[in-house]
Every structure is written in C-alpha cells, then in structure tokens.
C-alpha cells in the first residue's frame, strides 16, 4: 500500500499536491490516484517522487510540470525537483477511497479491488451501479483504461484497468 | 532508479549494456512497426487496442534507453534516434516491414503477419521478462516487475487474435500458415545474445538463450495443441541483429522514425 509518510514539514506539500489533478480527469488528484510515493523537504530543497501508472503514458511530462508549478507556489520553496521512479511499481490498489469517488463522478469505474483466481475481474456501471455490464475493449483511450458498456442504462463507460504485481 | 552504486568490473558493465541495448532496440523497432498500423487496423476497437500496446512498448523502450543513459552511455533520445543501422542490436524480426506499400501512400499491410509476429514476439518478451525478475542487475529486476504488469494484457490480446484467426475460415488459416512461416524464418536471432552470449549468461543477467527459447516454446504449447499445430522449429540465424547484421528495412525505418528528431536534436520534443 501507499507509503504516506507525512510529517509537519512536508504536510503543506502533500496538501498542495491534492490540487494537482489528472490532466484528463479533473475530479481526481495525483494523491487520489496513489501516484505520490514520497515527499522530501530539506532546507532549500523539496523533492517529490512520483510513480507512473503506465510507462508509456504521454501525460507524465504534463504531470511533472503541473506538480513542479504547484509546489513552487508554496511560500519559501526554492528548489523543487520532481522525479518519476518505477520501483515500487504503481498498482491499481493505490487509488484511494477519495480517488474511487472522484473517478466515479467522472464516469469511470474505479479499478476492481479483487481479481478472480483466473485473473478475471468485474466492475459495476459508474452511472447506475448496475452489475449488468459487458467488456467492449480491454484497451481504452488511454493505457490505464478499458471500455465497457452498461446493458441496464445503455451507456458506454470506462473503467480503470486493474494492475497488480501478480500479473 | 540509479540506486545501484556497487562496483562492477568493466567486463560486467559491458555485458549489462549489451543486454539492455538488445532489449531496448527490440521494443523500439517492434513498437515503431506497430505505430505504422495506426488508423489502418482491421476495425476501430483494434486500432485503439494495438496503438495502446504500441504506446506501452515504446514506454518500455524509453525506459531501457534511460537506463543506458544512467550508465553513462549517452542521451536516451540520441540512442533511440541517432545510432546507425549497423550499431542496432534488435532482432531482424522486429525490423521487418508490415507488408507491401507505405502508410503515407497505399499500404497493403498484412494483418496475419502482424498477429503472428506480435504474438511470438510478445510471448518471447514474456519469457525474458520472467527471467529478468531474477537478474543479478537490480535495475533490470525492477523494470521487469513493472513491464510484467503491462505485458499481461499484451499477451492476452495477441493470443486471442492468433487463436481466433486460426479457428476461422480456410482463407484465414492459409494466410496465418504463410505468416507463421515468414515469422519463424526471422526468429533465429530473437533468442540470441550475439557475441556477448558468454558474458551475459556468466554474470547471471538473464537465463541462457536455450532456457528462454524453451520457456517460450512451453508457453506456446497449449495454444498450439488446442489448434492442432506443430510447434515451430527456430532456424539458425542468417543475419544476427545482435551483432549489428540487418536488412535494408531497418535503415528505411530509422530514416523515417528519426526524421523529425534530426531537424533539431537540441529541442525538447
């Protein structure tokens, strides 16, 4: 799970990171998505370490810039560094409860919390909560999403793909 | 990322670099060929799916090039775009064109060939990534965990296409049979580590060529048995891409893919 090591020094930074939204989904922040691995504050230096959801995600550079700008806005910030690392790997269970709510609000089903033994998974429709849904395409408009269809309310919707280290 | 500061001998460093170049160049050319399908795949859902896979794979290549940058070999973008064909270490299979024609003109690409190449390549990548999880080189172990999660979906996708087309019409089956023949012909160097074989294996960076190839065959076996096909026999390589031997198709690919980057190598693209 997420290593949310917060203390009085970096609390302010964590707070401002909640204002850094996913560039395409303005109802969730990078904190909600579990992308923030570490915040280190030293005298004149603030370092934010982030985890990419998918390695080829083209939004990473935008997220880096937005994160940097947000932290620079804090009083007394001098040197801000934003680094992406891939170990530990981002996994979909890092999405917080707040993140799940924000995704649903946007019309995206949160990643399933449980995978069946055969690797299959299920999500409900984010609009009407029906369980009567079908998978249209496991690959979606971005690397981290799939396209589904709700047969109850007849609405296409997206779901965040589950990714786990057992895969 | 670059948290491994332990001392390594010049020989070990050379072996590590050689292996990462092979992994990087394989994924780079494979995803370049994949990107040429954009807008041309058999249907719109496939266009979304295969371009997503291509994007992931390009991300894997970028990460390997970054690893080489961390090792002081050169700038990642330069390594991807500016190296001449004879310095490339990708397998010949990954450089092959998708079929006749050119996407800016009248492409007559071969979907059966792409399905077979992608399935065989992705399953081979799976065998390598599984082995890299135990690599003696920590950054490769870490990469393997991350790539593995994305690869899970890629293998599933290409296997589905492979099985579906081979369970389809006579025409589809015959196109797939020709594609398998073409792909296998170029696979001689896919499991090769080239001139660096001895040191790559001695430093336990990855399992032996033979073991990886065998694991690949075992992964294919259930699918082939279900389809009542004989498992392929990999020939000796005519050209070994690991030693910089390539076809002209690689040069054309490099000219095209690096055209924009060469306009201004100092710009942040």
């Amino acid at each position: 799970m997420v290593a949310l090591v917060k203390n009085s020094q970096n609390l302010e930074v964590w707070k401002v990171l909640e204002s850094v939204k996913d560039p395409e989904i303005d109802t969730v922040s990078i904190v909600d998505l579990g992308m923030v691995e570490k915040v280190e504050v030293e005298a004149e230096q603030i370092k934010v370490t982030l985890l990419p959801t998918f390695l080829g995600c083209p939004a990473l550079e935008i997220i880096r810039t937005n994160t940097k700008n947000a932290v620079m806005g804090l009083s007394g910030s001098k040197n801000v560094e934003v680094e992406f690392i891939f170990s530990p790997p981002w996994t979909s269970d890092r999405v917080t409860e707040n993140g799940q709510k924000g995704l649903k609000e946007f019309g995206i089903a949160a990643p399933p919390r449980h995978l069946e033994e055969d690797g299959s998974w299920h999500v409900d429709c984010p609009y009407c909560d029906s369980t009567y849904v079908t998978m249209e395409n496991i690959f979606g408009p971005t690397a981290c999403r799939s396209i589904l269809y709700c047969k109850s309310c007849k609405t296409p919707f997206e779901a965040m793909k589950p990714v786990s280290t057992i895969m | 990322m670059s948290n491994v500061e332990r001392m390594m001998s010049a020989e070990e460093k050379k072996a590590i670099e050689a292996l990462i170049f092979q992994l990087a160049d394989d994924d780079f050319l494979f995803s370049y060929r994949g990107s040429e399908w954009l807008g041309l795949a058999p249907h719109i859902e496939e266009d979304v799916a295969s371009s997503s896979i291509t994007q992931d794979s390009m991300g894997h290549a970028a990460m390997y090039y970054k690893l080489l940058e961390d090792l002081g070999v050169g700038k990642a973008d330069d390594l991807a775009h500016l190296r001449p064909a004879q310095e490339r270490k990708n397998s010949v299979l990954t450089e092959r064109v998708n079929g006749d024609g050119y996407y800016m003109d009248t492409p007559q690409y071969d979907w059966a060939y792409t399905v077979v190449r992608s399935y065989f390549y992705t399953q081979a990548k799976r065998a390598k990534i599984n082995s890299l999880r135990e690599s003696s080189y920590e950054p490769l172990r870490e990469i393997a965990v991350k790539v593995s999660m994305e690869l899970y979906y890629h293998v599933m996708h290409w296997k589905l296409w492979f099985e579906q087309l081979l369970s389809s019409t006579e025409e589809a089956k015959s196109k797939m049979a020709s594609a398998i023949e073409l792909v296998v012909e170029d696979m001689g160097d896919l499991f090769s580590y080239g001139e660096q074989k001895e040191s790559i294996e001695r430093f336990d960076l990855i399992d032996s060529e033979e073991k990886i190839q065998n694991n690949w065959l075992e992964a294919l076996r259930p699918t082939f048995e279900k389809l009542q096909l004989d498992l392929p026999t990999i020939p000796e390589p005519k050209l070994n891409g690991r030693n910089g031997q390539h076809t002209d198709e690689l040069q054309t690919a490099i000219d095209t893919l690096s055209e924009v980057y060469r306009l201004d190598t100092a710009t942040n693209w």
Side-chain angles (χ1 to χ4, degrees), chain A residues 52-56 58 84-87 89-91 119 121 137-141 143 147 161-165 167, chain B residues 1 45-46 48-49 52-53 55-56 59-60 63 126 133 139 142-143 145-150 152-154 156-157:
Chain A
T53 52
F54 276 69
L55 290 165
F84 278 100
I85 60 167
F86 43 79
S87 185
W90 180 86
T91 44
W121 44 277
N137 193 345
I138 204 154
F139 296 93
I147 304 170
K161 269 191 204 135
V163 280
S164 120
T165 47
M167 286 173 163
Chain B
M1 221 181 280
E45 296 297 349
E46 181 51 33
V48 171
S52 190
I53 292 174
Q55 195 179 64
D56 288 346
H60 303 167
M63 192 178 44
R126 166 104 266 169
R133 292 178 87 136
E142 294 177 353
I143 280 183
V145 173
K146 184 70 186 155
V147 169
S148 189
M149 298 191 278
E150 302 181 8
Y152 173 83
Y153 289 105
H154 303 179
M156 196 156 74
H157 182 78

